[in-house]
Amino acid sequence: MKSLSIRMALAALVLVSLLADAALGQKAASTEVSQLKSELAHLKKIEDDPETPPEVRDINRTFLEERRGRLRGALEKRITALRTYLTSSAGALKPNEVEAVETSIRALEEELRGLDGRMAGHVAAASVQSVEAPTLARRASPVAGEVSAPGLNGNLLGLQDCPANPSELIESAFINKDQRRLEIKLVTRLSRTQPPGVVSDLNELIIPANRIVIATAAGAPIASSTAQTLDGRRQIFVNLPGDIPEDVAKIRVTLLNLGFQCPDANNPTTMPTVSKDGDIFSLQELRDRDVAAYRAANAAAKTSDKKNYRLGFVASKGNGEEAEGAADISINKDLGLSENGLLSVFDEADLALQLKKSSAEKADPRHLTLGLSLRKTFLVDSRLPKVEPLTEAMSPPDLLAASDRNSEAIKASRNKGFFRVFMITESLNLEGEAFDFKTVNFVSDTQFELASIAKRLGPKGYYNLSIFGGPEIGRNLSIPEATSSMGATAAQMNQVDWISRLKAGGHFTLRFLPGDNTGSNWGVELDLGFVNRYLFSSELTTEETTDNGMTKTKLVSVSKGNKTWRQADLKLFLFGNEKARYGVKLSYNNGRLPPAFTPTKAFQFGLVVESADDRTDDKPANADDQ
């Protein structure tokens, strides 16, 4: 009993301590807000004083906007804290207590609207006048089946599908300083029906400049013009007619009184303020980001031999009577690249190992390569849209026509060509005859590749295609001894020296994988590959003669011309996790691979393990439209 009393006393002490800390934190936040308001009032007197010199007014305005930015952040933090408290204490508070919290939230939101309204007025005064809704009345009528504007409301508390923090409605915001444009990507679409002042232009919106406030991290305003939504109201594009500070890298964007399709299209919600921090980029930086986004989004298009690892242990059936063991192994280790290093011109660097080996008759490609690969990726068609700026100087017909052209432009950018990227890969490879290394070559492999995006096929399937070609130049380092081989004479084998080949081929992948984030890792995959090498210089071709199924000796010849390889893999993944999948595969191999160019024709069946490189942020790369 005594022990229980001690524990209860300790628990009470901890509870009192936590409540005291919370009270102190709230008191500190309240003190900060009061202090900022006091400083703002003092600075506002200087701003409004007609006797204030212009140079003093400019400096004072910078301090004024900085204090407004800090006050806005403090108010938003308090609103978020109250909303979180209301959600977490659901069922514990009495109705009058809930109403008291909601009243506090509404008061803070009203104060925030007043603060952002003053900032918006300052920005609007620095830019030209916005287009008013009545001017474009022919486009402003609601679309059939949609609710009218009175259905909008500003209270999030009863709408379960809306985020508790309004800033979560914006996915990203950035300024393209070369094209003088702000681009905002939304998590939740804007509604077609909006409060007065915003014009519905068919499937998009035209938004007055005073509904979007742009400021530097220090609070200095950046002038904007009329905005337009694109991509079905998922993006907002804003022309920036004023100067963009050269020494500023961060911005803060605030949307004022816009209706979001939240919780759904029939019950949109007007949000008083939605804010998001963003960055300022050059056009080249954005193109580099576009390439990086392609690689991330198109992880599903990575072929099996380019994944982090693929391990296949199978039974192989060639021309012999019995199946024997075989291995098909691919390992790629990303080395990473420094942004300022000697190899910074490349996007990726890999240390790669490829091994195909079998003990079955006529089923052994005798192929092993180990090398360093450097890759540079270029966009064939950038998805950065070319959007005309909307300006208040445009006449209403011109404004509507430009809006329509912009809508079509972004649709076209979403559906640009089948082949999306062009890649140049330079590999320095050591080719060996697995496992005895009787024939060894050192080869520089320069490959030019056109690759498609992962194209959706149904809800959970996708496919992609790549075509490639390029020269392979190198030198032979080792050949079998003439005395231990049959076929080629010593004089013929002495012709083998320099390596000069031209290769061309393609790869097609069809995958059916779960398109959700439930942890499922089963799937079906079909890989088809083809490559033809034309040998300009004499190279060795190695075969094994057999006697009653037993290997007798090698038959080595010297040849030029075409050497083709075909491979088809059908894989069924049964289980796995976020790092790897495990399953079985059926393969067919036919042709010749360097350095031995041994004739191969075989079926294989067995186990396969592959890294799950087609997952990004722990979800399948085909979870969203590519």
Side-chain angles (χ1 to χ4, degrees), residues 456-511:
R456 293 295 298 271
L457 189 65
K460 298 180 180 180
Y462 56 96
Y463 66 94
N464 61 277
L465 173 70
S466 65
I467 55 175
F468 56 84
E472 295 179 334
I473 307 296
R475 189 164 187 175
N476 173 261
L477 302 181
S478 175
I479 59 176
E481 296 180 5
T483 55
S484 64
S485 304
M486 298 176 56
T489 64
Q492 290 174 324
M493 295 179 68
N494 286 336
Q495 297 176 13
V496 178
D497 189 5
W498 291 98
I499 305 296
S500 56
R501 313 174 189 141
L502 184 63
K503 73 173 181 180
H507 192 279
F508 175 80
T509 300
L510 176 64
R511 289 186 176 101

Short mmCIF file of all heavy atoms in Angstrom, two decimals, residues 456-511:
data_model
loop_
_atom_site.label_atom_id
_atom_site.label_comp_id
_atom_site.label_asym_id
_atom_site.label_seq_id
_atom_site.Cartn_x
_atom_site.Cartn_y
_atom_site.Cartn_z
N ARG A 456 0.96 3.47 -67.74
CA ARG A 456 -0.03 2.72 -66.99
C ARG A 456 -0.78 1.75 -67.91
O ARG A 456 -1.08 2.05 -69.04
CB ARG A 456 -1.02 3.66 -66.33
CG ARG A 456 -0.45 4.53 -65.23
CD ARG A 456 0.02 3.70 -64.06
NE ARG A 456 -1.07 2.98 -63.45
CZ ARG A 456 -1.84 3.47 -62.47
NH1 ARG A 456 -1.60 4.67 -62.00
NH2 ARG A 456 -2.82 2.76 -61.97
N LEU A 457 -1.08 0.57 -67.35
CA LEU A 457 -1.87 -0.43 -68.04
C LEU A 457 -2.85 -1.01 -67.03
O LEU A 457 -2.51 -1.92 -66.27
CB LEU A 457 -0.97 -1.53 -68.61
CG LEU A 457 -1.63 -2.55 -69.54
CD1 LEU A 457 -2.12 -1.86 -70.82
CD2 LEU A 457 -0.66 -3.66 -69.89
N GLY A 458 -4.05 -0.43 -66.98
CA GLY A 458 -5.00 -0.84 -65.96
C GLY A 458 -4.64 -0.22 -64.62
O GLY A 458 -3.74 0.60 -64.50
N PRO A 459 -5.32 -0.64 -63.56
CA PRO A 459 -5.10 -0.01 -62.25
C PRO A 459 -3.77 -0.36 -61.60
O PRO A 459 -3.25 0.41 -60.81
CB PRO A 459 -6.27 -0.54 -61.41
CG PRO A 459 -6.66 -1.82 -62.07
CD PRO A 459 -6.41 -1.63 -63.53
N LYS A 460 -3.20 -1.52 -61.93
CA LYS A 460 -1.98 -1.96 -61.24
C LYS A 460 -0.88 -2.42 -62.18
O LYS A 460 0.13 -2.96 -61.73
CB LYS A 460 -2.31 -3.08 -60.25
CG LYS A 460 -3.28 -2.66 -59.16
CD LYS A 460 -3.57 -3.80 -58.20
CE LYS A 460 -4.55 -3.35 -57.12
NZ LYS A 460 -4.88 -4.44 -56.17
N GLY A 461 -1.05 -2.21 -63.46
CA GLY A 461 -0.04 -2.65 -64.41
C GLY A 461 0.61 -1.49 -65.12
O GLY A 461 0.09 -0.38 -65.14
N TYR A 462 1.77 -1.72 -65.69
CA TYR A 462 2.45 -0.70 -66.48
C TYR A 462 3.49 -1.38 -67.36
O TYR A 462 3.86 -2.54 -67.14
CB TYR A 462 3.10 0.36 -65.59
CG TYR A 462 4.06 -0.17 -64.56
CD1 TYR A 462 5.43 -0.20 -64.78
CD2 TYR A 462 3.58 -0.64 -63.34
CE1 TYR A 462 6.30 -0.70 -63.84
CE2 TYR A 462 4.45 -1.13 -62.39
CZ TYR A 462 5.81 -1.16 -62.64
OH TYR A 462 6.66 -1.66 -61.70
N TYR A 463 3.94 -0.66 -68.35
CA TYR A 463 4.95 -1.20 -69.25
C TYR A 463 5.89 -0.07 -69.66
O TYR A 463 5.56 1.11 -69.56
CB TYR A 463 4.31 -1.81 -70.50
CG TYR A 463 3.60 -0.82 -71.38
CD1 TYR A 463 4.25 -0.24 -72.48
CD2 TYR A 463 2.27 -0.45 -71.15
CE1 TYR A 463 3.61 0.68 -73.29
CE2 TYR A 463 1.62 0.46 -71.94
CZ TYR A 463 2.29 1.02 -73.02
OH TYR A 463 1.65 1.94 -73.82
N ASN A 464 7.06 -0.44 -70.13
CA ASN A 464 8.01 0.56 -70.63
C ASN A 464 8.93 -0.10 -71.64
O ASN A 464 9.10 -1.33 -71.68
CB ASN A 464 8.80 1.20 -69.49
CG ASN A 464 9.62 0.19 -68.72
OD1 ASN A 464 9.11 -0.48 -67.83
ND2 ASN A 464 10.89 0.06 -69.06
N LEU A 465 9.51 0.74 -72.47
CA LEU A 465 10.38 0.27 -73.54
C LEU A 465 11.61 1.18 -73.62
O LEU A 465 11.51 2.39 -73.46
CB LEU A 465 9.63 0.31 -74.88
CG LEU A 465 10.45 0.01 -76.14
CD1 LEU A 465 10.85 -1.47 -76.17
CD2 LEU A 465 9.66 0.37 -77.40
N SER A 466 12.76 0.57 -73.87
CA SER A 466 13.97 1.35 -74.13
C SER A 466 14.68 0.73 -75.32
O SER A 466 14.65 -0.49 -75.53
CB SER A 466 14.90 1.36 -72.91
OG SER A 466 15.39 0.06 -72.63
N ILE A 467 15.29 1.61 -76.12
CA ILE A 467 16.12 1.14 -77.23
C ILE A 467 17.50 1.77 -77.06
O ILE A 467 17.63 2.90 -76.58
CB ILE A 467 15.52 1.50 -78.60
CG1 ILE A 467 15.26 3.01 -78.70
CG2 ILE A 467 14.22 0.75 -78.83
CD1 ILE A 467 14.77 3.44 -80.08
N PHE A 468 18.53 1.04 -77.43
CA PHE A 468 19.89 1.51 -77.16
C PHE A 468 20.83 1.06 -78.26
O PHE A 468 20.53 0.17 -79.07
CB PHE A 468 20.37 1.00 -75.80
CG PHE A 468 20.33 -0.50 -75.65
CD1 PHE A 468 21.35 -1.30 -76.13
CD2 PHE A 468 19.24 -1.11 -75.04
CE1 PHE A 468 21.31 -2.68 -76.00
CE2 PHE A 468 19.18 -2.49 -74.91
CZ PHE A 468 20.21 -3.28 -75.38
N GLY A 469 21.98 1.67 -78.27
CA GLY A 469 23.02 1.32 -79.22
C GLY A 469 24.29 2.08 -78.91
O GLY A 469 24.29 3.04 -78.13
N GLY A 470 25.40 1.65 -79.52
CA GLY A 470 26.64 2.36 -79.30
C GLY A 470 27.85 1.46 -79.55
O GLY A 470 27.72 0.24 -79.74
N PRO A 471 29.06 2.04 -79.53
CA PRO A 471 30.28 1.27 -79.79
C PRO A 471 30.86 0.64 -78.52
O PRO A 471 30.69 1.16 -77.42
CB PRO A 471 31.23 2.34 -80.34
CG PRO A 471 30.81 3.60 -79.64
CD PRO A 471 29.31 3.49 -79.46
N GLU A 472 31.53 -0.47 -78.70
CA GLU A 472 32.34 -1.10 -77.66
C GLU A 472 33.76 -1.22 -78.19
O GLU A 472 34.01 -1.94 -79.17
CB GLU A 472 31.78 -2.48 -77.28
CG GLU A 472 30.40 -2.43 -76.65
CD GLU A 472 29.86 -3.81 -76.31
OE1 GLU A 472 30.26 -4.80 -76.97
OE2 GLU A 472 29.03 -3.90 -75.40
N ILE A 473 34.66 -0.50 -77.55
CA ILE A 473 36.05 -0.44 -78.00
C ILE A 473 36.95 -0.89 -76.86
O ILE A 473 36.77 -0.47 -75.71
CB ILE A 473 36.45 1.00 -78.41
CG1 ILE A 473 35.46 1.56 -79.43
CG2 ILE A 473 37.86 1.02 -78.96
CD1 ILE A 473 35.43 0.82 -80.74
N GLY A 474 37.93 -1.76 -77.17
CA GLY A 474 38.82 -2.21 -76.12
C GLY A 474 39.94 -3.08 -76.65
O GLY A 474 40.30 -3.02 -77.84
N ARG A 475 40.44 -3.92 -75.74
CA ARG A 475 41.57 -4.76 -76.12
C ARG A 475 41.49 -6.09 -75.38
O ARG A 475 41.06 -6.15 -74.23
CB ARG A 475 42.89 -4.08 -75.81
CG ARG A 475 44.09 -4.82 -76.38
CD ARG A 475 45.31 -3.98 -76.40
NE ARG A 475 46.41 -4.63 -77.10
CZ ARG A 475 47.58 -4.09 -77.36
NH1 ARG A 475 47.81 -2.84 -76.97
NH2 ARG A 475 48.53 -4.76 -77.99
N ASN A 476 41.91 -7.15 -76.08
CA ASN A 476 41.98 -8.46 -75.47
C ASN A 476 43.20 -8.53 -74.53
O ASN A 476 44.29 -8.11 -74.88
CB ASN A 476 42.09 -9.55 -76.55
CG ASN A 476 42.33 -10.91 -75.96
OD1 ASN A 476 43.45 -11.39 -75.92
ND2 ASN A 476 41.26 -11.53 -75.50
N LEU A 477 42.97 -9.07 -73.33
CA LEU A 477 44.05 -9.20 -72.35
C LEU A 477 44.54 -10.63 -72.19
O LEU A 477 45.67 -10.84 -71.75
CB LEU A 477 43.57 -8.68 -70.98
CG LEU A 477 43.07 -7.24 -70.92
CD1 LEU A 477 42.66 -6.88 -69.50
CD2 LEU A 477 44.15 -6.28 -71.42
N SER A 478 43.68 -11.61 -72.53
CA SER A 478 44.07 -12.99 -72.34
C SER A 478 43.26 -13.89 -73.25
O SER A 478 42.06 -13.65 -73.46
CB SER A 478 43.86 -13.40 -70.88
OG SER A 478 44.12 -14.78 -70.68
N ILE A 479 43.89 -14.92 -73.81
CA ILE A 479 43.22 -15.92 -74.62
C ILE A 479 43.71 -17.30 -74.20
O ILE A 479 44.78 -17.43 -73.59
CB ILE A 479 43.48 -15.72 -76.14
CG1 ILE A 479 44.98 -15.78 -76.44
CG2 ILE A 479 42.88 -14.41 -76.62
CD1 ILE A 479 45.31 -15.69 -77.91
N PRO A 480 42.94 -18.38 -74.48
CA PRO A 480 43.39 -19.73 -74.12
C PRO A 480 44.66 -20.10 -74.87
O PRO A 480 44.95 -19.59 -75.96
CB PRO A 480 42.21 -20.62 -74.56
CG PRO A 480 41.05 -19.70 -74.68
CD PRO A 480 41.60 -18.38 -75.08
N GLU A 481 45.42 -20.97 -74.27
CA GLU A 481 46.63 -21.45 -74.94
C GLU A 481 46.24 -22.35 -76.11
O GLU A 481 45.34 -23.17 -76.00
CB GLU A 481 47.50 -22.23 -73.96
CG GLU A 481 48.03 -21.39 -72.82
CD GLU A 481 48.89 -22.21 -71.88
OE1 GLU A 481 49.14 -23.40 -72.18
OE2 GLU A 481 49.30 -21.67 -70.84
N ALA A 482 46.95 -22.16 -77.22
CA ALA A 482 46.61 -22.92 -78.44
C ALA A 482 46.76 -24.41 -78.23
O ALA A 482 46.01 -25.21 -78.78
CB ALA A 482 47.50 -22.45 -79.59
N THR A 483 47.71 -24.81 -77.39
CA THR A 483 47.95 -26.25 -77.18
C THR A 483 46.82 -26.91 -76.41
O THR A 483 46.66 -28.13 -76.47
CB THR A 483 49.26 -26.45 -76.41
OG1 THR A 483 49.20 -25.69 -75.19
CG2 THR A 483 50.44 -25.95 -77.24
N SER A 484 46.04 -26.11 -75.65
CA SER A 484 44.95 -26.69 -74.86
C SER A 484 43.60 -26.56 -75.53
O SER A 484 42.59 -26.86 -74.93
CB SER A 484 44.91 -26.01 -73.47
OG SER A 484 44.57 -24.65 -73.63
N SER A 485 43.60 -26.09 -76.77
CA SER A 485 42.35 -25.86 -77.46
C SER A 485 42.35 -26.56 -78.81
O SER A 485 43.38 -26.94 -79.35
CB SER A 485 42.13 -24.36 -77.67
OG SER A 485 42.20 -23.69 -76.43
N MET A 486 41.16 -26.72 -79.34
CA MET A 486 40.99 -27.30 -80.65
C MET A 486 40.29 -26.30 -81.55
O MET A 486 39.50 -25.50 -81.09
CB MET A 486 40.15 -28.58 -80.57
CG MET A 486 40.76 -29.70 -79.74
SD MET A 486 39.65 -31.11 -79.62
CE MET A 486 39.38 -31.49 -81.35
N GLY A 487 40.56 -26.33 -82.82
CA GLY A 487 39.86 -25.48 -83.77
C GLY A 487 40.77 -24.46 -84.38
O GLY A 487 41.29 -24.64 -85.49
N ALA A 488 40.99 -23.32 -83.71
CA ALA A 488 41.80 -22.23 -84.25
C ALA A 488 43.28 -22.56 -84.15
O ALA A 488 43.74 -23.17 -83.18
CB ALA A 488 41.51 -20.94 -83.51
N THR A 489 44.02 -22.15 -85.16
CA THR A 489 45.47 -22.32 -85.14
C THR A 489 46.09 -21.18 -84.34
O THR A 489 45.45 -20.16 -84.03
CB THR A 489 46.03 -22.31 -86.56
OG1 THR A 489 45.79 -21.01 -87.13
CG2 THR A 489 45.36 -23.37 -87.42
N ALA A 490 47.36 -21.33 -84.00
CA ALA A 490 48.06 -20.29 -83.25
C ALA A 490 48.10 -18.99 -84.04
O ALA A 490 47.96 -17.90 -83.47
CB ALA A 490 49.48 -20.76 -82.92
N ALA A 491 48.26 -19.11 -85.38
CA ALA A 491 48.30 -17.90 -86.22
C ALA A 491 46.96 -17.17 -86.19
O ALA A 491 46.90 -15.94 -86.13
CB ALA A 491 48.68 -18.28 -87.65
N GLN A 492 45.86 -17.94 -86.22
CA GLN A 492 44.53 -17.32 -86.17
C GLN A 492 44.28 -16.66 -84.82
O GLN A 492 43.73 -15.55 -84.74
CB GLN A 492 43.46 -18.38 -86.44
CG GLN A 492 43.43 -18.88 -87.88
CD GLN A 492 42.45 -20.02 -88.07
OE1 GLN A 492 42.30 -20.87 -87.19
NE2 GLN A 492 41.80 -20.06 -89.24
N MET A 493 44.69 -17.33 -83.76
CA MET A 493 44.46 -16.78 -82.43
C MET A 493 45.30 -15.53 -82.19
O MET A 493 44.91 -14.65 -81.43
CB MET A 493 44.75 -17.83 -81.36
CG MET A 493 43.77 -19.01 -81.43
SD MET A 493 44.09 -20.30 -80.21
CE MET A 493 43.68 -19.43 -78.70
N ASN A 494 46.44 -15.42 -82.85
CA ASN A 494 47.28 -14.23 -82.71
C ASN A 494 46.64 -13.00 -83.36
O ASN A 494 47.08 -11.87 -83.12
CB ASN A 494 48.65 -14.48 -83.33
CG ASN A 494 49.50 -15.39 -82.45
OD1 ASN A 494 49.28 -15.48 -81.24
ND2 ASN A 494 50.46 -16.08 -83.06
N GLN A 495 45.60 -13.21 -84.18
CA GLN A 495 44.90 -12.07 -84.78
C GLN A 495 44.01 -11.34 -83.76
O GLN A 495 43.60 -10.21 -83.99
CB GLN A 495 44.01 -12.56 -85.94
CG GLN A 495 44.77 -13.17 -87.10
CD GLN A 495 43.83 -13.72 -88.16
OE1 GLN A 495 42.63 -13.44 -88.15
NE2 GLN A 495 44.36 -14.50 -89.08
N VAL A 496 43.72 -12.03 -82.66
CA VAL A 496 42.85 -11.44 -81.64
C VAL A 496 43.66 -10.43 -80.83
O VAL A 496 44.60 -10.78 -80.13
CB VAL A 496 42.28 -12.53 -80.72
CG1 VAL A 496 41.42 -11.89 -79.64
CG2 VAL A 496 41.48 -13.54 -81.53
N ASP A 497 43.32 -9.17 -80.95
CA ASP A 497 44.06 -8.11 -80.27
C ASP A 497 43.10 -7.01 -79.82
O ASP A 497 42.64 -6.98 -78.70
CB ASP A 497 45.16 -7.57 -81.19
CG ASP A 497 46.10 -6.63 -80.47
OD1 ASP A 497 45.96 -6.48 -79.24
OD2 ASP A 497 46.98 -6.04 -81.13
N TRP A 498 42.77 -6.11 -80.72
CA TRP A 498 41.87 -5.00 -80.40
C TRP A 498 40.41 -5.43 -80.51
O TRP A 498 40.07 -6.30 -81.32
CB TRP A 498 42.12 -3.81 -81.33
CG TRP A 498 43.46 -3.16 -81.06
CD1 TRP A 498 44.60 -3.35 -81.73
CD2 TRP A 498 43.74 -2.23 -80.01
NE1 TRP A 498 45.62 -2.61 -81.19
CE2 TRP A 498 45.13 -1.90 -80.13
CE3 TRP A 498 43.01 -1.65 -78.99
CZ2 TRP A 498 45.76 -1.02 -79.26
CZ3 TRP A 498 43.62 -0.77 -78.13
CH2 TRP A 498 44.98 -0.46 -78.27
N ILE A 499 39.57 -4.82 -79.71
CA ILE A 499 38.13 -5.09 -79.69
C ILE A 499 37.42 -3.90 -80.32
O ILE A 499 37.61 -2.76 -79.90
CB ILE A 499 37.61 -5.28 -78.26
CG1 ILE A 499 38.40 -6.37 -77.53
CG2 ILE A 499 36.12 -5.58 -78.26
CD1 ILE A 499 38.25 -7.74 -78.13
N SER A 500 36.61 -4.15 -81.33
CA SER A 500 35.80 -3.08 -81.94
C SER A 500 34.46 -3.67 -82.35
O SER A 500 34.40 -4.52 -83.24
CB SER A 500 36.52 -2.46 -83.15
OG SER A 500 36.84 -3.45 -84.10
N ARG A 501 33.43 -3.24 -81.65
CA ARG A 501 32.08 -3.76 -81.89
C ARG A 501 31.10 -2.60 -82.00
O ARG A 501 31.34 -1.51 -81.49
CB ARG A 501 31.61 -4.67 -80.75
CG ARG A 501 32.58 -5.71 -80.28
CD ARG A 501 32.01 -6.41 -79.05
NE ARG A 501 32.96 -7.29 -78.39
CZ ARG A 501 33.09 -7.42 -77.09
NH1 ARG A 501 32.30 -6.70 -76.28
NH2 ARG A 501 33.97 -8.25 -76.58
N LEU A 502 29.96 -2.87 -82.61
CA LEU A 502 28.83 -1.95 -82.63
C LEU A 502 27.62 -2.74 -82.16
O LEU A 502 27.30 -3.78 -82.74
CB LEU A 502 28.59 -1.39 -84.03
CG LEU A 502 27.47 -0.33 -84.14
CD1 LEU A 502 27.82 0.91 -83.32
CD2 LEU A 502 27.23 0.05 -85.60
N LYS A 503 26.96 -2.26 -81.13
CA LYS A 503 25.82 -3.01 -80.59
C LYS A 503 24.55 -2.18 -80.71
O LYS A 503 24.58 -0.94 -80.70
CB LYS A 503 26.05 -3.41 -79.14
CG LYS A 503 25.95 -2.29 -78.14
CD LYS A 503 26.02 -2.82 -76.72
CE LYS A 503 25.89 -1.68 -75.70
NZ LYS A 503 25.95 -2.17 -74.32
N ALA A 504 23.41 -2.86 -80.77
CA ALA A 504 22.10 -2.22 -80.81
C ALA A 504 21.08 -3.21 -80.27
O ALA A 504 21.23 -4.42 -80.44
CB ALA A 504 21.72 -1.78 -82.22
N GLY A 505 20.06 -2.68 -79.59
CA GLY A 505 19.06 -3.59 -79.04
C GLY A 505 17.95 -2.84 -78.36
O GLY A 505 17.78 -1.62 -78.51
N GLY A 506 17.17 -3.57 -77.61
CA GLY A 506 16.04 -2.98 -76.90
C GLY A 506 15.62 -3.84 -75.74
O GLY A 506 16.04 -5.00 -75.61
N HIS A 507 14.80 -3.25 -74.86
CA HIS A 507 14.30 -3.97 -73.70
C HIS A 507 12.86 -3.54 -73.44
O HIS A 507 12.56 -2.36 -73.43
CB HIS A 507 15.18 -3.67 -72.48
CG HIS A 507 14.90 -4.58 -71.32
ND1 HIS A 507 13.86 -4.38 -70.45
CD2 HIS A 507 15.53 -5.71 -70.90
CE1 HIS A 507 13.85 -5.34 -69.54
NE2 HIS A 507 14.86 -6.15 -69.78
N PHE A 508 12.00 -4.53 -73.24
CA PHE A 508 10.59 -4.27 -72.97
C PHE A 508 10.21 -4.94 -71.66
O PHE A 508 10.56 -6.11 -71.42
CB PHE A 508 9.71 -4.81 -74.09
CG PHE A 508 8.23 -4.67 -73.81
CD1 PHE A 508 7.58 -3.46 -74.00
CD2 PHE A 508 7.49 -5.76 -73.36
CE1 PHE A 508 6.22 -3.32 -73.74
CE2 PHE A 508 6.13 -5.64 -73.09
CZ PHE A 508 5.50 -4.42 -73.29
N THR A 509 9.51 -4.21 -70.80
CA THR A 509 9.08 -4.74 -69.51
C THR A 509 7.58 -4.53 -69.33
O THR A 509 7.07 -3.45 -69.60
CB THR A 509 9.83 -4.07 -68.34
OG1 THR A 509 11.23 -4.31 -68.48
CG2 THR A 509 9.36 -4.61 -67.01
N LEU A 510 6.91 -5.56 -68.91
CA LEU A 510 5.49 -5.50 -68.57
C LEU A 510 5.35 -6.00 -67.14
O LEU A 510 5.74 -7.14 -66.83
CB LEU A 510 4.67 -6.37 -69.53
CG LEU A 510 3.16 -6.49 -69.23
CD1 LEU A 510 2.48 -5.15 -69.37
CD2 LEU A 510 2.52 -7.52 -70.16
N ARG A 511 4.85 -5.14 -66.25
CA ARG A 511 4.75 -5.51 -64.84
C ARG A 511 3.32 -5.33 -64.34
O ARG A 511 2.62 -4.41 -64.74
CB ARG A 511 5.68 -4.65 -63.97
CG ARG A 511 7.15 -4.94 -64.15
CD ARG A 511 7.98 -4.13 -63.15
NE ARG A 511 9.39 -4.44 -63.21
CZ ARG A 511 10.30 -3.69 -63.83
NH1 ARG A 511 9.92 -2.60 -64.44
NH2 ARG A 511 11.57 -4.03 -63.82
#
